[in-house]
Amino acid sequence: MYIRTRLTINPDKVYRMAMTKLNTSAGILEVMGAPLSGTDLRAYIMSGGGLTVKKFKPSVRSRRCFLIFPIRGSEKKGLVSVEVKKKKGQVNQLTPVYVSESPNKIC
């Protein structure tokens, strides 16, 4: 169990981290509207984690998780794309790749 948690990425945890980061971002809140809320609709893909040889030593490539989900603010709705990289058992990069805003017609 311990080894599995060190090697895999939990998409629900990534979603919670992304929502926390978005809800504390002044620029996003200014454009989208104050209380941001997500939905249960999420899509994710995992990649990486395979074995590779670097400088004649075997190593494990870092795992990546790409997550996309819709959000809703008081003024607008949008779509968030997030990339997460896990190295040495720690999620060290949470990068919101893109937040597209749209009028309240989609989602």
Side-chain angles (χ1 to χ4, degrees):
M1 183 74 171
Y2 173 75
I3 294 172
R4 182 175 179 160
T5 58
R6 296 272 299 172
L7 296 177
T8 60
I9 299 173
N10 185 354
D12 293 328
K13 187 175 180 180
V14 172
Y15 173 76
R16 287 191 304 269
M17 289 169 56
M19 286 302 291
T20 302
K21 196 167 189 178
L22 290 170
N23 275 313
T24 57
S25 172
I28 298 290
L29 291 175
E30 182 180 335
V31 172
M32 303 293 285
L36 288 180
S37 62
T39 62
D40 290 335
L41 179 65
R42 292 176 218 144
Y44 67 92
I45 186 167
M46 301 283 193
S47 67
L51 294 174
T52 185
V53 178
K54 290 183 182 178
K55 299 181 184 179
F56 302 107
K57 294 181 183 178
S59 63
V60 179
R61 285 185 287 160
S62 57
R63 296 283 297 182
R64 290 176 186 253
C65 177
F66 299 95
L67 179 70
I68 189 168
F69 58 92
I71 58 170
R72 180 181 299 135
S74 62
E75 298 175 17
K76 294 185 180 180
K77 295 181 181 183
L79 194 63
V80 179
S81 175
V82 178
E83 177 184 1
V84 175
K85 193 173 183 180
K86 190 169 196 173
K87 276 189 173 180
K88 298 180 182 176
Q90 299 290 323
V91 174
N92 63 351
Q93 291 181 348
L94 176 66
T95 310
V97 176
Y98 187 68
V99 177
S100 68
E101 57 184 78
S102 63
N104 281 333
K105 295 180 182 175
I106 303 175
C107 300

